[in-house]
Amino acid sequence: LAKTTQPISMDSYEGQEVNITCSHNNIATNDYITWYQQFPSQGPRFIIQGYKTKVTNEVASLFIPADRKSSTLSLPRVSLSDTAVYYCLVGDPNTGNQFYFGTGTSLTVIP
Amino acid sequence: EAGVTQFPSHSVIEKGQTVTLRCDPISGHDNLYWYRRVMGKEIKFLLHFVKESKQDESGMPNNRFLAERTGGTYSTLKVQPAELEDSGVYFCASSVGLAGGLVSDTQYFGPGTRLTVL
């Protein structure tokens, strides 16, 4: 079971790029890395998913080194509305078993 | 396209009572998952359905919890009898699954049901 470790909290000013790193030393061969964003009183919302190297979509980029023991979510030019908790989730989506949520990183964007 | 929906959004019951939570996955999604977050703790996996079959229920805390997925569509999670420590937010998620022919699969979460046991 791949356990994840993230910083508990981060602060950033509006307009800056934010990088949140997740450690997953026990990641298995078939595990994918998925990042979610969660606002208070809402369910986690999918941001991005990757297996290795770099993945980019319209809202974020995900960097995964060759050993896959960590991953970094990059949010370009954050705004106040990006204030939320960000979770790194590691698991095998093709079996769907025992996905593990870490403690999450509480990001606060400052005006 | 409608997302994952959960009902009720909030339930307050007394210890010893029974509560049933419902989850309607995204249409066409074979996989359905239940998670919960107890106050101050991390979100934890409870169980996983593939269509109507339980793929993995190793996260279920005890036999007071019963999950079903009738006909591979919506799912219910019954807690009977409820205890104080069952209070928390119960999330449901769904994904397309292997039948979608995808290399990887993404879980989409509902808004959660907040359960308070008094």
Side-chain angles (χ1 to χ4, degrees), chain B residues 65-77:
Chain B
F65 289 75
L66 175 64
E68 295 179 321
R69 188 178 183 194
T70 307
T73 55
Y74 70 91
S75 174
T76 58
L77 179 64

Side-chain angles (χ1 to χ4, degrees), chain A residues 16-105:
Chain A
Q16 289 188 329
E17 178 184 77
V18 171
N19 296 309
I20 305 174
T21 298
C22 177
S23 296
H24 28 80
N25 292 319
N26 297 324
I27 189 168
T29 302
N30 295 328
D31 286 345
Y32 277 71
I33 301 154
T34 310
W35 283 82
Y36 288 86
Q37 175 192 57
Q38 187 177 30
F39 298 110
S41 301
Q42 294 185 23
R45 184 174 75 95
F46 172 81
I47 302 174
I48 196 166
Q49 183 181 74
Y51 183 80
K52 62 181 179 181
T53 63
K54 177 183 175 182
V55 180
T56 298
N57 62 21
E58 62 276 9
V59 298
S61 294
L62 178 59
F63 299 91
I64 306 169
D67 66 5
R68 304 200 326 121
K69 293 183 182 299
S70 67
S71 58
T72 300
L73 173 72
S74 181
L75 304 172
R77 299 183 60 79
V78 294
S79 64
L80 297 178
S81 62
D82 293 320
T83 293
V85 178
Y86 291 81
Y87 292 96
C88 159
L89 192 64
V90 175
D92 182 352
N94 293 312
T95 62
N97 298 335
Q98 287 282 357
F99 273 71
Y100 186 87
F101 272 93
T103 54
T105 298

Side-chain angles (χ1 to χ4, degrees), chain B residues 1-100:
Chain B
E1 178 183 322
V4 177
T5 58
Q6 294 185 244
F7 182 83
S9 58
H10 194 178
S11 179
V12 181
I13 61 173
E14 292 189 352
K15 175 183 174 181
Q17 289 187 321
T18 297
V19 63
T20 300
L21 313 181
R22 173 171 170 144
C23 169
D24 286 81
I26 293 172
S27 178
H29 281 194
D30 284 345
N31 288 351
L32 188 148
Y33 310 82
W34 283 98
Y35 295 82
R36 78 169 178 178
R37 178 166 58 207
V38 174
M39 181 72 73
K41 300 288 183 63
E42 300 163 4
I43 299 174
K44 290 202 170 180
F45 167 89
L46 295 179
L47 88 158
H48 166 215
F49 284 99
V50 176
K51 297 185 179 180
E52 67 276 7
S53 300
K54 292 177 186 175
Q55 182 79 0
D56 179 2
E57 53 182 331
S58 58
M60 295 286 264
N62 52 60
N63 58 10
R64 294 186 293 103
F65 289 75
L66 175 64
E68 295 179 321
R69 188 178 183 194
T70 307
T73 55
Y74 70 91
S75 174
T76 58
L77 179 64
K78 179 189 289 187
V79 185
Q80 180 182 28
E83 298 290 343
L84 299 179
E85 63 266 25
D86 300 332
S87 295
V89 182
Y90 290 76
F91 293 104
C92 173
S94 73
S95 68
V96 172
L98 292 177

